[in-house]
């Protein structure tokens, strides 16, 4: 080797040597004492494993780290017993596993619970698997063209070589989004402990997951973590996410979703552009086209919505995964989420990762509510394209106007949320766009009311938001969000009351729309509507104010609020075809 290209004090020694000299520079880098001048090869490797570094990269064969609670026998790698370290002994900030089985799973968890950043070998190695997946599927497509006489072998080889960089970009995109998923999950792990507990139980009940085999914590351990303010670690989240994706893929593959026209674009996006364009007519004939579509849909659904997203939506709506996936596709397009995600991604290395995580989590709140609304109100969703065409134009037109449509306390709440996001580090324009998303969700009801009553959406929106402010609906919904979701029934109650609040507001808007003069301003129409029922409206407002001022606004309190809200004069909102 060339000593000139190695750092001062470094070197290369055979592992068979009895002793390796340790220079002062090496001792400093490894965090050893100044009195250490030589180590055996095994001692040196152990010192490297526990060095105070930014990144510990494992690219070899062998299991080098276990948990302090495990024996060397548990690691199952006798050759490395003499040098193996424990997870709580590592001083690296981040571990990257380029090899397989470099850590035991308990070792990973111990390192993560000690403050380290680590996923699993399956996550850190997934780019290689993904690349092979693309390679095989592209070759199947091209070889079919060769056999059909539509492509010469030499041209096939040249075409394969020409898309190398694009395949790499597609693979890196998949891995980027999967790591965003895990990062957001770590960021909000404490709040989801009870949901993770229910999800793990459900997977166990279905026979899809064996908690002990995968070293996932027991319910008692999860309760202890929740009490201490922590949740699942990244290695545990990685395992749980894998089972969620596998289970979802099985469910979607058994549905009609992979055969539906809208999801054909998912198949096109999977292949490099030159191949997708040239062989567009043959893509649907690919023998694995359903599997490709299913895998891509599941990845997008879970990476963007979170590992518990589909489970929670199924729990709260009783809808099947295909309905939820269709609703998610509608929400993704209608609210232009891809562009907002791109804006957040463009901030890599410019703002803190925590700032980006906060942004991603706020977008997820809109996904959660909008998907549930679509599943409840537009069930069954059979034509994704038609739903996008129904809601997309109005949402695109009116979303930028949401800050102006909001009034009073609700507008103050919006800009308080903007200030919170800016405080985390997001640019103000992006913070406003993200903060407006959750209020833009109301535009789905606006579309339904407008279509049912034959009125312009802008007119309906003005009245809808004015009525929301008059009845302090935003504050009511905030109180609903604060309700516990410790078990399935509390989660269901929370979801049901939120849905009913939105439905009651929509019914009241339809009533005010019908019973007032459209030539008046929204505020004038609202006053006219309230004047037709002054006692009931004022009693409702007083009840809402009293209820929301309580120290603890529980489910019983909100049930009364909802009952009073439903008691106001209203017209049922009927969805037009």
């Amino acid at each position: 080797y060339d000593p000139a290209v190695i750092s001062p004090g470094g070197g290369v020694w055979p592992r068979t040597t009895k002793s390796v000299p340790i220079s002062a520079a090496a001792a400093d880098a490894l965090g050893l004492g100044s009195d250490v001048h030589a180590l055996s090869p095994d001692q040196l490797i152990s010192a490297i494993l526990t060095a105070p570094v930014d990144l510990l990269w494992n690219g070899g064969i062998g299991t080098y780290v276990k948990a302090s609670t495990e024996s060397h026998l548990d690691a199952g790698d006798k050759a490395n017993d003499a040098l193996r370290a424990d997870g709580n002994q590592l001083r690296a900030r981040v571990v990257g596993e380029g090899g397989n089985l470099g850590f035991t799973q308990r070792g990973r968890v111990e390192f993560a619970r000690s403050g380290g950043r680590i996923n699993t070998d399956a996550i850190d190695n997934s780019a290689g698997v993904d690349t092979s997946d693309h390679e095989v599927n592209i070759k199947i497509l091209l070889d079919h063209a060769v056999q059909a006489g539509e492509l010469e072998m030499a041209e096939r080889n040249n075409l394969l070589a020409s898309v190398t960089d694009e395949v790499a970009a597609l693979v890196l995109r998949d891995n980027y989004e999967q790591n965003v998923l895990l990062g957001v999950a770590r960021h909000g792990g404490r709040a989801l402990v009870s949901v993770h507990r229910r999800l793990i139980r459900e997977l166990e009940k279905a026979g899809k997951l064996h908690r002990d085999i995968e070293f996932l914590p027991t319910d008692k351990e999860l309760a202890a973590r929740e009490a201490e303010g922590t949740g699942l670690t990244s290695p545990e989240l990685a395992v749980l996410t894998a089972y969620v994706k596998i289970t979802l893929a099985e469910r979607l593959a058994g549905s009609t979703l992979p055969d539906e026209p809208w999801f054909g674009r998912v198949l096109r996006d999977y292949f490099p552009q030159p191949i997708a364009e040239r062989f567009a007519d043959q893509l649907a004939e690919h023998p694995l086209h359903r599997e490709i579509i299913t895998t891509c849909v599941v990845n997008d659904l879970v990476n963007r919505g979170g590992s518990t997203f589909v489970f929670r939506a199924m729990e709260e709506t009783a809808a099947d995964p295909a309905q939820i996936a269709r609703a998610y596709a509608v929400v993704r397009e209608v609210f232009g989420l891809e562009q907002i995600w791109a804006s957040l991604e463009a901030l890599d290395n410019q703002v803190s990762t925590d700032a980006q995580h906060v942004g991603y989590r706020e977008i997820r709140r809109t996904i959660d509510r909008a998907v549930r609304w679509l599943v409840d109100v537009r069930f069954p969703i059979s034509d994704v394209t038609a739903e996008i065409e129904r809601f997309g134009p109005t949402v695109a037109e009116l979303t930028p106007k949401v800050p102006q449509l909001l009034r009073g306390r609700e507008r103050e709440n919006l800009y308080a949320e903007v200030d919170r996001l800016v405080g985390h580090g997001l640019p103000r324009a992006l913070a406003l766009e993200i903060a407006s998303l959750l209020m833009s969700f109301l535009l789905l009801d606006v579309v339904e009311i407008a279509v049912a009553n034959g009125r312009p959406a802008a007119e309906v929106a003005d009245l809808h938001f004015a009525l929301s402010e008059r009845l302090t609906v935003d504050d009511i919904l905030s109180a609903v969000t604060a309700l516990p979701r410790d078990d399935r029934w509390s989660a269901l109650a929370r979801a049901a009351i939120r849905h009913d609040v939105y439905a009651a507001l929509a019914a009241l808007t339809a009533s005010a729309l019908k019973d007032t003069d459209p030539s008046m301003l929204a505020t004038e129409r609202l006053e006219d509507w309230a004047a037709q029922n002054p006692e009931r409206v004022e009693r409702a407002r007083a009840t809402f104010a009293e209820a929301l001022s309580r120290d603890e606004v529980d489910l019983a309190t909100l049930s009364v609020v909802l009952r009073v809200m439903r008691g106001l004069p209203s017209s049922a909102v009927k969805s037009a075809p």
Side-chain angles (χ1 to χ4, degrees):
Y1 67 92
D2 181 2
V5 298
I6 293 181
S7 300
V12 178
W13 286 267
R15 285 190 65 175
T16 54
T17 190
K18 290 185 177 181
S19 177
V20 178
I22 303 298
S23 66
D28 182 61
L30 296 175
L32 301 173
S34 58
D35 58 336
V36 177
H37 304 293
L39 293 172
S40 70
D42 283 350
Q43 289 174 325
L44 177 55
I45 294 172
S46 186
I48 292 171
L49 286 172
T50 58
V53 294
D54 286 336
L55 173 66
L56 172 62
W57 176 258
N58 166 43
I61 298 171
T63 304
Y64 299 100
V65 180
K66 64 176 183 63
S68 59
T69 56
E70 292 180 301
S71 69
H72 289 294
L73 187 62
D74 293 321
D77 177 27
K78 186 172 179 58
N80 288 308
D81 285 356
L83 56 87
R84 189 172 297 113
D86 292 338
N88 60 9
Q89 294 176 316
L90 269 56
R91 291 183 286 174
R93 296 175 63 194
V94 179
V95 167
E97 294 194 69
N100 291 323
L101 305 176
F103 283 54
T104 67
Q105 179 66 357
R106 287 196 177 102
R108 294 186 187 103
V109 172
E110 184 171 271
F111 174 64
R113 284 180 58 77
S114 299
R117 299 295 181 92
I118 186 172
N119 292 322
T120 61
D121 50 358
I123 294 293
D124 290 352
N125 273 296
S126 62
V129 178
D130 199 352
T131 301
S132 297
D133 183 78
H134 277 81
E135 179 186 359
V136 169
N137 284 320
I138 291 171
K139 285 180 176 178
I140 289 173
L141 180 67
L142 297 186
D143 289 350
H144 182 271
V146 170
Q147 293 167 8
E150 299 171 359
L151 187 68
E152 295 292 333
M153 182 58 73
E155 188 179 6
R156 173 259 197 200
N157 294 339
N158 290 334
L159 187 54
L160 272 174
S162 71
V163 298
T164 299
D165 288 346
E166 188 172 348
V167 168
L170 291 169
V171 168
L172 290 174
R173 162 52 48 183
D174 290 342
N175 282 265
Y176 179 96
E177 291 180 4
Q178 187 161 253
N179 275 278
V180 169
L181 160 69
L182 292 173
V184 177
R186 289 192 300 269
H187 190 262
R190 177 185 179 184
L192 289 174
V193 173
S194 62
V195 182
H196 287 143
R197 182 165 52 239
R198 298 201 306 276
L199 173 56
I200 292 171
R201 285 177 186 166
E202 186 65 25
L203 289 170
E204 284 185 307
K205 182 180 177 182
K208 302 296 182 182
L209 169 69
H210 296 282
R211 192 188 313 222
D212 293 341
I213 292 175
E214 297 297 346
F215 305 107
L216 289 171
T218 64
D219 285 354
K220 184 176 180 180
E221 289 169 335
L222 282 170
R225 290 196 197 179
E226 188 172 28
E228 71 185 21
T230 63
L232 291 179
T233 63
S234 197
E236 293 164 331
L237 290 165
V239 169
L240 185 59
T241 297
Y243 278 95
V244 167
K245 288 186 174 183
I246 290 168
T247 305
L248 275 178
E250 291 174 354
R251 297 286 298 275
L252 292 185
S255 73
T256 62
L257 184 145
D259 307 309
E260 294 165 15
W262 169 263
F263 295 99
R265 68 183 57 201
V266 175
L267 185 62
R268 292 194 299 273
D269 291 343
Y270 172 85
F271 289 96
Q273 188 174 355
I275 291 176
E277 291 177 353
R278 180 168 175 177
F279 300 98
D281 294 337
Q282 289 99 317
L283 294 181
E285 299 173 9
H286 194 293
L288 298 175
H289 73 277
R290 296 185 91 257
E291 288 81 359
I292 294 171
I293 290 171
T294 298
T295 299
C296 292
V297 169
V298 167
N299 278 334
D300 185 44
L301 193 62
V302 176
N303 290 348
R304 293 307 194 181
S307 58
T308 67
F309 163 58
V310 175
F311 168 72
R312 288 183 289 108
M314 290 173 62
E315 191 178 54
E316 294 171 14
T317 66
D320 62 70
Q323 278 293 313
I324 293 163
R326 294 184 192 105
Y328 166 78
V330 174
V331 171
R332 193 182 197 277
E333 297 299 316
V334 165
F335 288 92
L337 298 185
E338 191 168 358
Q339 181 54 52
I340 303 176
W341 286 321
S343 296
L344 272 172
E345 291 171 6
L347 297 175
D348 284 353
N349 302 313
Q350 297 181 32
V351 302
S352 71
T353 305
D354 282 348
Q356 291 173 295
H357 288 164
V358 169
Y360 287 122
R361 289 177 66 189
E362 286 304 307
I363 296 170
R364 283 187 182 179
R365 292 179 67 195
T366 300
I367 294 173
D368 283 346
R369 294 193 189 181
V371 164
R372 285 157 178 72
W373 186 96
L374 284 165
V375 169
D376 285 332
V377 176
R378 299 295 298 166
F379 181 87
I381 299 171
S382 57
D383 188 340
V384 171
T385 301
E387 296 298 316
I388 293 170
E389 291 173 350
R390 180 183 182 88
F391 295 100
T394 296
V395 173
E397 175 193 354
L398 296 181
T399 291
K401 300 176 183 178
V402 163
Q404 289 72 48
L405 288 168
L406 293 173
R407 295 162 169 82
R409 175 70 178 274
E410 292 194 347
R411 182 180 289 179
E412 292 174 5
N413 289 345
L414 172 70
Y415 283 102
E417 176 64 10
V418 172
D419 289 340
R420 184 181 77 86
L421 295 176
V422 171
H424 280 285
L426 294 181
R428 182 162 289 274
L430 180 58
L432 178 59
E433 187 175 14
I434 292 174
S436 298
L437 265 181
L438 200 59
M439 298 306 297
S440 300
F441 160 70
L442 292 176
L443 296 174
L444 298 177
D445 270 322
V446 166
V447 172
E448 292 294 273
I449 298 167
V451 172
N453 292 275
R455 302 301 304 170
E459 174 193 339
V460 176
D462 203 15
L463 190 57
H464 195 59
F465 281 93
L467 188 57
S468 177
E469 193 276 332
R470 172 65 69 92
L471 298 178
T472 64
V473 169
D474 194 36
D475 289 340
I476 294 172
L477 290 169
S478 294
V480 173
T481 299
L483 289 174
R485 52 179 177 185
D486 298 334
D487 56 33
R488 178 171 182 261
W489 298 107
S490 60
L492 287 173
R494 184 173 175 261
I497 198 166
R498 178 186 286 122
H499 174 79
D500 289 347
V501 169
Y502 283 125
L505 176 62
L508 292 172
T509 299
S511 174
L513 192 72
K514 176 183 176 182
D515 298 337
T516 58
D517 185 350
S519 66
M520 295 190 295
L521 297 174
T523 51
E524 295 172 337
R525 298 179 75 173
L526 193 56
E527 293 300 332
D528 185 24
W529 174 79
Q532 296 173 31
N533 311 275
E535 293 183 2
R536 295 171 75 178
V537 171
E538 286 309 311
R539 180 169 65 86
R541 294 185 66 193
T543 300
F544 298 165
E546 182 182 358
L548 296 174
S549 67
R550 297 187 66 198
D551 292 337
E552 181 183 357
V553 183
D554 55 14
L555 185 60
T557 307
L558 289 169
S559 297
V560 173
V561 167
L562 180 59
R563 179 67 185 86
V564 172
M565 192 174 181
R566 283 172 165 169
L568 290 168
S570 62
S571 302
V573 181
K574 298 178 181 179
S575 298

